[in-house]
Amino acid sequence: MLLKRLGGSILVRDGIAVQSFGFRRHLPVGSPEVSSEFLNRWGIDEICLLDISGNRTQRGPDIEMIRRVAAKAFVPLCYGGGVTSLDQVRQIIAAGADKVLIRSKFIESLFHEVVDSFGAQALVACIDYSSKKSDIASRDGSIVSRDEVLDYALRAEKFGVGELLIQSTDRDGLACGLDCDLIAEVSRRVQIPVIAMGGVGRSEHIAECLNMTEASAVVVGNILNHCEHSVMLIKKQLQRMGHDLRSSGRCKYELVPISTEDRLLKRSESYLDDLGFIKVDREVI
């Protein structure tokens, strides 16, 4: 059986990696390539590089940024943002990305062209949905209502895409948990891998999704910026909950207490005193 995947998203707005809250408010994080390097070192399974700049559709993908990020990523890299033609897909793949995500209105002819040229594994269809009516939904027509998600998912599968990314804009940045009911329904109805995104606040939210749905992967964003080794800590928590994911490197945290917020807890004073007489391997940073 294939192991479930933990993906990390890097949202980029005007060249800066940001945290997103409700698709409206954004806080700067720093350099996209530095974020890529850290995620790679911490043991992420794949990276989603998503350009949410306001002018991305007019200017097209930032190929130089993709190239810089790809140079720091030694895991599969998926790029999305401003992709409207097969020529752009060629440039994105040539820059080092492994997959291309298309999140605008489904363009059947483009989907077929990408699949014919690069294979289904290179194409991810993103379905952003909202249960609320807002001006966000009218920006590029990509955000659909909850009731339309299943229809879009079945159409995308028919067009030949390799994977589906389902994202709730209502939950973006709220750390309230994934929409497991909808993810479960979509993953039951389609035969292609489904990726869940939107609302992860701690490892329990990921475990809940893996328990309740057939999703192949969960992509998280904001919480990976809260502390070092965040990916390793989340994977260790998931392992303790019975979910085996891919190895995350040298830091195992086998006996280390971790809080429900996926942060390391302080050891007892006696343990810390004993460290003075124990050989400890250099920490991975």
Side-chain angles (χ1 to χ4, degrees):
M1 184 179 69
L2 294 177
L3 294 177
K4 303 294 184 178
R5 293 168 286 150
L6 179 64
S9 70
I10 302 176
L11 300 183
V12 179
R13 184 177 183 183
D14 300 327
I16 303 296
V18 298
Q19 292 184 334
S20 175
F21 300 88
F23 271 49
R24 293 178 178 273
R25 188 163 57 94
H26 302 98
L27 297 178
V29 173
S31 163
E33 49 266 41
V34 171
S35 296
S36 174
E37 182 178 13
F38 283 170
L39 289 176
N40 183 78
R41 289 185 177 183
W42 294 341
I44 204 71
D45 295 326
E46 59 186 46
I47 295 173
C48 289
L49 177 64
L50 306 176
D51 190 346
I52 60 173
S53 305
N55 65 342
R56 68 190 188 282
T57 302
Q58 290 75 30
R59 64 165 166 76
D62 187 340
I63 301 301
E64 287 304 316
M65 178 193 67
I66 297 171
R67 186 173 288 111
R68 294 195 305 270
V69 170
K72 301 294 184 180
F74 299 95
V75 295
L77 174 65
C78 177
Y79 171 83
V83 182
T84 58
S85 71
L86 181 61
D87 183 60
Q88 291 176 339
V89 174
R90 289 195 182 98
Q91 295 180 57
I92 293 167
I93 299 296
D98 301 279
K99 308 175 187 178
V100 174
L101 180 145
I102 298 179
R103 60 187 305 171
S104 59
K105 289 183 178 179
F106 288 173
I107 307 172
E108 182 176 357
S109 59
L110 178 57
F111 280 17
H112 288 316
E113 289 176 347
V114 175
V115 172
D116 290 343
S117 299
F118 299 100
Q121 80 287 342
L123 179 58
V124 180
C126 178
I127 304 176
D128 293 336
Y129 71 95
S130 173
S131 302
K132 306 171 185 178
K133 292 184 178 180
S134 69
D135 61 334
I136 300 177
S138 63
R139 291 180 185 173
D140 61 7
S142 64
I143 300 180
V144 299
S145 71
R146 183 186 180 90
D147 295 335
E148 295 175 297
V149 171
L150 185 57
D151 178 60
Y152 271 60
L154 292 171
R155 286 173 56 198
E157 182 180 34
K158 181 180 178 182
F159 294 161
V161 305
E163 293 179 294
L164 281 172
L165 190 151
I166 311 294
Q167 178 175 211
S168 169
T169 62
D170 301 335
R171 296 167 182 259
D172 177 56
L174 295 185
C176 60
L178 293 149
D179 189 347
C180 294
D181 291 338
L182 183 59
I183 296 297
E185 183 178 1
V186 173
S187 58
R188 282 196 304 266
R189 295 289 298 276
V190 300
Q191 301 302 311
I192 57 179
V194 173
I195 304 169
M197 183 176 177
V200 175
R202 56 185 185 272
S203 56
E204 282 133 340
H205 294 152
I206 302 173
E208 181 184 30
C209 181
L210 297 180
N211 288 332
M212 294 179 58
T213 79
E214 297 299 321
S216 299
V218 175
V219 173
V220 298
N222 293 356
I223 63 172
L224 299 182
N225 299 305
H226 292 169
C227 64
E228 289 185 345
H229 295 188
S230 51
V231 176
M232 299 178 186
L233 293 172
I234 290 172
K235 283 191 173 184
K236 175 49 61 180
Q237 290 285 69
L238 290 173
Q239 185 180 29
R240 291 175 178 176
M241 296 176 198
H243 297 284
D244 286 330
L245 282 82
R246 299 173 187 179
S247 174
S248 59
R250 287 169 52 195
C251 293
K252 302 302 182 182
Y253 298 115
E254 296 293 346
L255 304 176
V256 179
I258 305 174
S259 72
T260 55
E261 288 77 29
D262 303 318
R263 300 197 180 193
L264 294 175
L265 295 175
K266 183 183 177 181
R267 291 279 198 172
S268 66
E269 294 296 334
S270 60
Y271 175 84
L272 295 177
D273 290 340
D274 291 341
L275 284 180
F277 305 95
I278 299 174
K279 182 181 183 302
V280 179
D281 291 335
R282 180 177 296 182
E283 182 182 6
V284 179
I285 298 178

